[in-house]
Amino acid sequence: MASDNSNIKAFQESAAGEKIAFTKDASHPGRFVFTMPQPPTFTNVEDERRHLKQRLVAAYRVFSKLGLDEGIAGHLTCRDPEYPDLFWVNPFGKSFSCITAKDLLLVDHSGNVVKGNSPLNAAAFVIHSKIHAARPDAVAACHSHSLHGKAFSSLAKPILPITQDACMFYNDHALFPGFNGVVADEAEGERMAETLAGHKALILQNHGLLTVGGSVDEAAFWFIALDRSCQAQLLAESAGTPICISDEVARDSHRTVGSAISGWFNFQPYYERIIREQPDILDVDEEDGKLVL
């Protein structure tokens, strides 16, 4: 059976500077096209670095606001735009709610802290270095021990397409089986990267969730949405046997709600709210864009 929204076409990427639009599809009478805004582009690497670090800080603050952090556990990273073999990460032991751009550490794939004086979380290096190395398209990666994510991970099963939002992850996430203790072995990080493969998300059994994206915004939103999809499935299955969306409709929905531009755009309301409530996130100066190695 065709979906009820079969007349609505998947998000169409817009040209730079183009605003949101909802128009008729001239080539398909009766159908409509969403034209979505695009992520910003930059003419120099310093501006891009400042932007990435600011968004990473905003993501930490949003995670804290939503209760997705847990003590000293969790790490969000983004690849440096000039040196793709280096990534920015939070210092070990600092609250997500307090992280600023100047707190961020720059780390290489050998575990060396290239910039910054704070301690590095060994698990952050082991997991994220292997993810970034295996996935050149992954600008950002998010991992935290969120409540619903770690509860769901203990079931060792995938997210089912029981809601429109769950379709973001239809055939686009994997389960990392087993739990071998706190991740401190590079081989474990390599196995995680292999299991993730080309997907956007990983459920780490008895551990938590991990997501990646082509921008900080995208990776952060996928994590938020995945944790909530875990919560929705836990609730639905506790009440009965949820009815799954058909493969055809789930696949079609994934092309829309699971697209990279959808992930990026969905994070914008969170960003808008957090910078209004915590404007110090915007305190990123010219020095934060410079990098001399």
Side-chain angles (χ1 to χ4, degrees), residues 14-172:
S14 59
E18 195 170 355
K19 296 181 178 180
I20 302 172
F22 181 65
T23 58
K24 290 185 177 180
D25 186 348
S27 59
H28 296 86
R31 299 186 70 183
F32 297 86
V33 174
F34 289 110
T35 301
M36 307 303 292
Q38 295 296 290
T41 56
F42 302 91
T43 58
N44 63 75
V45 72
E46 290 79 14
D47 286 347
E48 185 174 4
R49 183 176 292 118
R50 280 196 295 269
H51 170 81
L52 286 170
K53 292 169 73 174
Q54 185 182 74
R55 292 289 168 146
L56 189 58
V57 170
Y60 290 124
R61 302 291 188 89
V62 169
F63 272 44
S64 178
K65 180 83 175 179
L66 297 178
L68 298 175
D69 51 348
E70 181 80 24
I72 62 173
H75 11 90
L76 283 60
T77 58
C78 72
R79 192 188 302 273
D80 187 79
E82 184 177 8
Y83 300 98
D85 290 336
L86 306 179
F87 60 90
W88 296 93
V89 63
N90 49 303
F92 190 35
K94 191 171 184 68
S95 170
F96 278 17
S97 66
C98 299
I99 291 175
T100 68
K102 288 179 171 49
D103 292 322
L104 299 175
L105 305 178
L106 186 62
V107 181
D108 67 18
H109 288 182
S110 297
N112 300 306
V113 176
V114 178
K115 187 175 179 60
N117 300 311
S118 300
L120 169 66
N121 185 334
F125 159 68
V126 168
I127 296 173
H128 290 254
S129 65
K130 303 308 178 186
I131 296 295
H132 283 296
R135 289 284 300 273
D137 63 309
V139 171
C142 301
H143 167 64
S144 189
H145 299 180
S146 58
L147 178 61
H148 304 110
K150 62 186 177 184
F152 188 84
S153 75
S154 70
L155 303 176
K157 63 181 183 180
I159 291 293
L160 298 175
I162 59 173
T163 67
Q164 173 179 296
D165 293 336
C167 291
M168 295 175 186
F169 306 98
Y170 180 76
N171 287 340
D172 203 5

